[in-house]
């Protein structure tokens, strides 16, 4: 169990900074090149090819926010990515046609599948404060993949209630200017609800590409 108040980042070796290779990624970072995943990858690309802005929610958990957003903004194509299979299956059953819920590692998806300059909005709400470098989401290579995947006006919303993680992410996003908000409905994520209930301070920022 990670103590949120004392969390600090694990060491990140320089060699793990290259874009495309994601250490510890679910099923490996090159899975979209494998024959058994090509069809799945092609269907994701087909969803992304349709006209209109695309929003990505990373680690959507039960997916209630994402599904609400998809109903509320039908002109946006919503992609959700989550590593927990049961969560993805349960939420995907309720997804409207402008939402695609994927069981995948967000780091691999961003680095190796989402086309350059395709994402208008990214939501990163309360990423897991991992103490293992292999599982930490926000790293220098993640930020580079994100920069590649965003449109020139693209924005990311980031929240955390882990002070050390806020400091770490602030550092990773150095040079990314503060930006206007992103579309936000009234449904709270699970962690947002916990923070509200327990009165925990939340670090929240919206940034755009440098
Ligand atoms: C602390 S929870 C926060 C969930 C939700 N966003 C919220 O605000 O309540 C982090 C979520 O990210 C998911 N997750 C962790 N690493 C991930 C990765 N590499 N790719 C996609 N999802 C990931 C976890 O399974 C978990 O559901």
């Amino acid at each position: 169990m990670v103590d949120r108040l004392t969390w600090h980042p694990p060491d990140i070796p320089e060699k793990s900074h290259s874009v495309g290779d994601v250490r510890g990624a679910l099923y490996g970072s090159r899975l979209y090149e494998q024959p058994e995943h090509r069809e799945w990858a092609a269907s994701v690309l087909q969803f992304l090819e349709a006209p209109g802005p695309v929003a990505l929610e990373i680690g959507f958990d039960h997916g209630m926010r994402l599904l609400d957003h998809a109903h509320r903004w039908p002109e946006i194509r919503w992609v959700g990515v989550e590593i927990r299979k049961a969560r993805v299956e349960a939420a995907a059953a309720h997804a409207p046609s402008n939402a695609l819920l994927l069981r995948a590692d967000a780091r691999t998806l961003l680095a190796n599948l989402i086309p350059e300059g395709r994402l208008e909005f990214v939501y990163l709400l309360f990423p897991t404060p991992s103490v293992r470098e292999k599982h930490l989401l926000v790293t220098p290579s993640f930020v580079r993949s994100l920069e590649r995947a965003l449109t020139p006006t693209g924005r990311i919303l980031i929240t955390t209630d882990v002070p050390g993680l806020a400091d770490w992410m602030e550092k990773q996003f150095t040079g990314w200017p503060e930006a206007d908000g992103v579309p936000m409905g009234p449904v709270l994520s699970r962690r947002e609800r916990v923070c509200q209930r327990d009165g925990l301070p939340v670090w929240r920022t919206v940034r755009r590409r440098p």
Side-chain angles (χ1 to χ4, degrees), residues 20-53:
D21 272 331
V22 183
R23 262 166 58 76
L26 182 71
Y27 301 137
S29 51
R30 299 285 176 187
L31 87 160
Y32 307 130
E33 293 164 15
Q34 296 164 13
E36 66 270 32
H37 293 288
R38 269 195 211 128
E39 207 175 305
W40 179 87
S43 68
V44 176
L45 290 174
Q46 198 179 15
F47 181 85
L48 294 171
E49 264 166 28

Side-chain angles (χ1 to χ4, degrees), residues 195-206:
C195 290
Q196 258 190 18
R197 185 195 66 199
D198 298 347
L200 300 175
V202 173
W203 179 81
R204 181 184 188 283
T205 188
V206 179

